[in-house]
Amino acid sequence: MAQNPTPEDIVGSYRLPSNDPQGGQSVIIFENNTFATFYFGGALKGKWEIVGNEVKFKTEANPKFYLYGRKLAALKDSTQLNFSCEENSTFVNLNSKANDIFQPLFNDAANCFSHPYTYKSTTQLRNVAFAKSDYGYGDLLDVYSFKIPEQYNDFIVIGLREEYTTETEFSASYKNGNLYFGGDKPASKKPDSVKETEENLAYLNEFMNKELLSEILNYGDEFFPYYDNPTKGQLTPFTRINPINKKKSEVKKGDTNLFTAKCEER
């Protein structure tokens, strides 16, 4: 029978029922009303609360764009931007000014992405802006504007997938001592007697207590550029550049895309 759970009833590690050969999804519920969920290709965290006989979960929303920069002497008077974005609803404005046109990052039929996508220019960047729609090509876009420190000439632009930038809500019902995340099969809870390894605990603690992307991007981090035989300069860390403005706005969209990502038709 349905009953209202207490925090002690639900805290723990759960494996959700799944026939997915890639491993399905797990949810870890912590005492301090936070949770983490892990699935193939990603991990999210957020807050939970008990409402009646249900546990309500809400994931955190991160910025749509992150910009990192550094000084790379080997570029001399050139500038380069390495894009880690895979959505054809992303638009860019380099050396942006009010009412400037935003270029599509990719062509309309973009597919088969193959990183890196690097833009190079002999013009030093002073201001850049990136924009993205919540639902494809909508009229109102989320626009992130950045002012570039004068000494920087090497940049990484990261556009996060929608699952990381949107607050997502889901729930589980509590019945007969079990949590049901939809369907008629309960989630499998790890027995309290089975302790997490020190390595897992250390990873969970770090994951729950740090930002998704840190202030400094070091060699070996996920979005750091790959080099076959890196020089000392190429190993220099990148520093995050915070946006000077974030707003929803209509933008003028140009017709010329910055990159083309298209598979050859068979």
Side-chain angles (χ1 to χ4, degrees):
M1 295 180 61
Q3 62 191 71
N4 296 346
T6 65
E8 291 77 14
D9 292 325
I10 64 169
V11 167
S13 180
Y14 297 83
R15 172 71 67 176
L16 276 60
S18 173
N19 294 320
D20 191 338
Q22 296 176 329
Q25 181 179 0
S26 60
V27 176
I28 303 176
I29 303 174
F30 300 99
E31 294 178 353
N32 61 351
N33 288 92
T34 64
F35 76 94
T37 177
F38 299 91
Y39 51 93
F40 180 76
L44 299 170
K45 58 185 176 181
K47 301 284 188 179
W48 62 267
E49 64 175 340
I50 296 173
V51 180
N53 72 321
E54 289 191 317
V55 184
K56 303 283 188 179
F57 300 88
K58 180 185 289 187
T59 63
E60 69 177 11
N62 297 283
K64 284 183 167 59
F65 294 99
Y66 286 82
L67 177 65
Y68 289 84
R70 69 180 180 182
K71 174 66 176 179
L72 187 60
L75 289 176
K76 298 181 180 179
D77 295 328
S78 297
T79 296
Q80 69 178 14
L81 291 88
N82 188 317
F83 287 87
S84 290
C85 308
E86 291 189 359
E87 291 84 9
N88 57 2
S89 58
T90 297
F91 298 84
V92 303
N93 188 333
L94 305 180
N95 272 332
S96 57
K97 299 177 181 178
N99 299 318
D100 274 357
I101 292 176
F102 279 69
Q103 288 180 265
L105 184 59
F106 293 107
N107 49 298
D108 284 343
N111 54 22
C112 294
F113 297 97
S114 179
H115 290 293
Y117 288 99
T118 303
Y119 169 84
K120 294 185 178 181
S121 173
T122 55
T123 302
Q124 188 173 12
L125 297 179
R126 289 286 180 258
N127 300 280
V128 297
F130 310 104
K132 185 179 177 183
S133 168
D134 285 330
Y135 305 102
Y137 288 94
D139 292 329
L140 286 177
L141 277 68
D142 288 300
V143 179
Y144 288 66
S145 301
F146 300 84
K147 184 175 179 61
I148 303 298
E150 290 186 11
Q151 69 273 24
Y152 289 169
N153 63 353
D154 190 20
F155 305 93
I156 297 175
V157 186
I158 301 169
L160 293 180
R161 301 198 306 262
E162 186 174 342
E163 65 204 77
Y164 287 99
T165 64
T166 306
E167 284 188 347
T168 302
E169 299 183 16
F170 61 98
S171 63
S173 58
Y174 185 77
K175 302 176 184 178
N176 300 321
N178 295 301
L179 279 181
Y180 290 78
F181 289 82
D184 56 2
K185 292 183 178 180
S188 176
K189 185 178 182 181
K190 183 181 292 187
D192 294 337
S193 59
V194 179
K195 303 296 183 182
E196 295 286 351
T197 65
E198 290 186 10
E199 183 179 1
N200 285 347
L201 288 173
Y203 171 80
L204 284 171
N205 183 63
E206 182 181 17
F207 177 74
M208 296 302 297
N209 290 288
K210 74 172 185 178
E211 294 182 84
L212 182 64
L213 292 176
S214 60
E215 290 280 346
I216 304 297
L217 202 61
N218 291 293
Y219 181 73
D221 289 340
E222 179 181 358
F223 293 101
F224 199 97
Y226 173 78
Y227 305 100
D228 286 328
N229 297 293
T231 65
K232 183 177 179 180
Q234 290 170 331
L235 294 177
T236 302
F238 287 81
T239 300
R240 191 170 71 196
I241 303 170
N242 293 319
I244 58 172
N245 191 20
K246 293 186 292 184
K247 63 180 181 180
K248 281 190 177 292
S249 177
E250 290 188 30
V251 302
K252 295 179 180 178
K253 303 171 186 176
D255 297 323
T256 305
N257 44 283
L258 201 62
F259 302 110
T260 297
K262 186 176 182 180
C263 288
E264 294 182 2
E265 296 182 1
R266 297 180 178 179

